[in-house]
């Protein structure tokens, strides 16, 4: 049996939710990753240091014995956040970023930023104090397939000019345009890439019937963009790293006349990435993408432990029990080739 041993990987973009959903989501992630950057789009959002600390404690309390996991926190930027909050976050050992959600761009983003100019003083403070800006890079109008490119053209280009020393991550990139833009900027701009955007393209969402469990934002794009992302992730370029964007939504919320955006990959996130890298014969590039580039960008030590994957075909479950509800995982029921050794 073929095996692949990596330095323990981290997930630099993760939604864990709270309450009933949290206990399963955090333990699924902890079996795959040592650390994760936890997204703050709860209801209400995480906008204060105290809320981030309390949420971190709830996450740690939900871990089952044997799961060793270090959640790192983000703040949710709003039009009314103060510079003092940014200063405190920058000095906090477990808060390593603040997230820009353009208002109404995605799930739980209604309290997000209504005009980028409103947060220029916050961005100035983040640049000065070294707090990373994580960006949901989509505009909220125009053709949904073009919203990432429109954000780059209308907003990100300007941000890079106005804040040349601000460290930024363009999250869950989905297009060749994003790859090209990130490559063309200096080392202060990096990007995370999800498993769904590496493994799938928009036909999986829309051809032969609407498949709501493939609906996430930014939406899956054309296959040429999927190929551009595979190339970027496996290029060895340190600007690209793993961020799963795993986001649990109940089956009912997804299978609806107005199904919500987000896909749950945490159950097998690393295994999905292995599948994607294997598909282009680039498994030798997985460790740098999954275990080195993100930690290096966030100026954190690389993990000491190791994770082993074995080549052993298995099938994803159709459904996952989730507290008092159920979640359909990404690619439910589909075969995967690589499997965590601990699971096998
Ligand atoms: C995420 C969620 O459900 O919180 N949904 C998604 O489609 N990716 C939010 C986000 O990261 O956009
Ligand atoms: Zn996300």
């Amino acid at each position: 049996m073929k095996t692949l041993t990596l330095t323990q990987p981290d997930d630099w973009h993760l939604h864990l939710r709270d309450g009933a959903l949290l206990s399963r989501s955090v333990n699924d992630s902890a079996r795959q990753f040592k650390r994760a950057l936890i997204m703050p789009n709860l209801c209400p959002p995480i906008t204060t240091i105290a809320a981030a600390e309390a949420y971190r404690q709830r996450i740690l309390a939900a871990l089952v014995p044997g799961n060793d996991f270090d959640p790192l926190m983000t703040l949710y930027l709003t039009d009314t956040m103060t510079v003092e909050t940014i200063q405190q976050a920058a000095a906090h050992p477990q808060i390593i970023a603040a997230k820009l959600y353009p208002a109404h761009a995605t799930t739980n983003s209604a309290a997000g930023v209504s005009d980028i100019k409103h947060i220029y003083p916050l961005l100035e403070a983040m640049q000065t104090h070294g707090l990373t800006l994580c960006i949901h890079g989509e505009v909220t109008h125009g053709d949904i397939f073009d919203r990432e490119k429109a954000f780059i053209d209308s907003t990100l280009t300007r941000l890079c000019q106005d804040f040349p020393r601000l460290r930024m991550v363009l999250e869950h990139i989905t297009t060749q345009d994003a790859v090209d833009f990130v490559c063309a900027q200096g080392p202060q701009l990096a990007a995370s890439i999800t498993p769904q955007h590496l493994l799938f393209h928009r036909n999986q969402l829309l051809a032969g019937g609407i498949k709501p469990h493939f609906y996430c934002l930014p939406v899956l794009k054309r296959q040429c963009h999927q190929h551009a992302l595979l190339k970027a992730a496996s290029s060895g370029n340190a600007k690209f790293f793993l961020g799963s964007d795993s986001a649990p939504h109940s089956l009912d919320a997804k299978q609806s006349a107005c199904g919500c955006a987000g896909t749950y990959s945490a159950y097998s996130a690393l295994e999905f990435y292995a599948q994607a890298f294997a598909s282009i014969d680039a498994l030798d590039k997985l460790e740098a993408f999954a275990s080195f580039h993100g930690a290096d960008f966030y100026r954190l030590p690389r993990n000491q432990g190791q994770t082993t994957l074995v080549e052993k075909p298995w099938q994803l479950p159709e459904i996952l029990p989730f507290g008092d509800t159920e979640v359909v995982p990404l690619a439910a029921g589909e075969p995967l080739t690589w499997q965590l050794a601990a699971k096998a």
Side-chain angles (χ1 to χ4, degrees):
M1 207 186 323
K2 270 202 246 170
T3 66
L4 178 68
T5 296
L6 313 174
T7 299
Q8 255 187 320
D10 303 305
D11 185 347
W12 298 104
H13 184 130
L14 178 64
H15 302 268
L16 290 177
R17 312 298 191 214
D18 215 342
L21 290 181
L22 175 61
S23 32
R24 169 146 206 159
S25 66
V26 65
N27 287 295
D28 280 352
S29 286
R31 288 185 198 100
Q32 304 265 326
F33 299 106
K34 176 71 176 72
R35 294 173 289 202
L37 185 56
I38 311 303
M39 292 297 124
N41 60 333
L42 303 183
C43 284
I46 303 294
T47 56
T48 65
I49 306 295
E53 285 176 340
Y55 184 30
R56 187 166 189 278
Q57 288 312 314
R58 293 196 297 283
I59 294 168
L60 292 173
L63 284 168
V64 298
N67 275 344
D68 174 22
F69 184 67
D70 185 8
L72 298 162
M73 310 308 286
T74 53
L75 286 186
Y76 183 116
L77 292 172
T78 67
D79 291 346
T80 54
M81 184 176 280
T82 64
V83 164
E84 289 68 43
T85 301
I86 294 293
Q87 287 166 347
Q88 288 163 12
H92 197 290
Q94 279 116 17
I95 302 176
I96 64 166
K99 179 83 186 270
L100 165 60
Y101 289 101
H104 307 291
T106 187
T107 303
N108 297 345
S109 64
V113 173
S114 65
D115 180 338
I116 191 74
K117 287 279 175 199
H118 292 162
I119 61 160
Y120 261 45
L122 304 182
L123 299 179
E124 195 70 54
M126 290 174 70
Q127 174 169 264
T128 303
H129 298 285
L131 188 67
T132 295
L133 176 68
C134 296
I135 302 172
H136 185 106
E138 289 190 289
V139 297
T140 55
H141 54 270
D143 191 296
I144 191 165
F145 291 105
D146 297 332
R147 289 181 180 188
E148 183 175 271
K149 168 138 178 41
F151 181 88
I152 292 169
D153 294 344
S154 68
T155 308
L156 189 56
T157 303
R158 190 69 197 272
L159 281 182
C160 290
Q161 286 162 2
D162 291 349
F163 300 98
R165 288 174 295 104
L166 178 60
R167 301 176 63 70
M168 294 184 266
V169 181
L170 185 55
E171 299 291 339
H172 40 50
I173 59 168
T174 61
T175 58
Q176 173 86 61
D177 310 274
V179 169
D180 292 345
F181 186 81
V182 169
C183 287
Q185 298 295 314
Q188 78 286 359
L189 179 66
S192 63
I193 307 182
T194 76
Q196 62 268 25
H197 295 105
L198 289 175
L199 286 168
F200 306 114
H201 57 92
R202 64 191 193 181
N203 276 22
Q204 268 91 30
L205 172 67
L206 293 168
I210 286 191
K211 319 280 182 4
H213 300 290
F214 286 98
Y215 178 58
C216 63
L217 288 171
V219 71
L220 294 173
K221 303 296 193 301
R222 286 178 185 275
Q223 193 168 28
C224 57
H225 294 294
Q226 179 197 350
H227 290 156
L229 297 174
L230 279 168
K231 203 169 154 196
S234 61
S235 65
N237 187 334
K239 284 167 162 279
F240 299 106
F241 49 77
L242 187 159
S244 73
D245 195 22
S246 177
H249 290 274
S250 72
L251 184 154
D252 295 346
K254 295 286 294 174
Q255 293 178 203
S256 141
C258 187
C260 51
T263 185
Y264 189 67
S265 59
Y267 180 74
S268 50
L270 187 64
E271 293 140 320
F272 280 133
Y273 284 105
Q275 190 89 7
F277 278 64
S279 75
I280 52 161
D281 208 11
L283 276 173
D284 59 322
K285 298 293 200 302
L286 180 61
E287 182 180 43
F289 174 80
S291 315
F292 298 161
H293 295 167
D296 295 353
F297 181 83
Y298 282 103
R299 297 172 169 156
L300 293 166
R302 294 177 181 180
N303 292 324
Q304 296 288 315
Q306 294 193 316
T307 298
T308 297
L309 290 155
V310 293
E311 193 178 25
K312 184 175 181 210
W314 63 294
Q315 209 170 357
L316 282 159
E318 296 284 353
I319 200 148
L320 299 170
F322 235 94
D324 55 5
T325 181
E326 293 174 318
V327 170
V328 175
L330 178 65
E334 295 294 322
L336 279 181
T337 308
W338 288 86
Q339 182 165 183
L340 283 186
K343 237 183 202 169

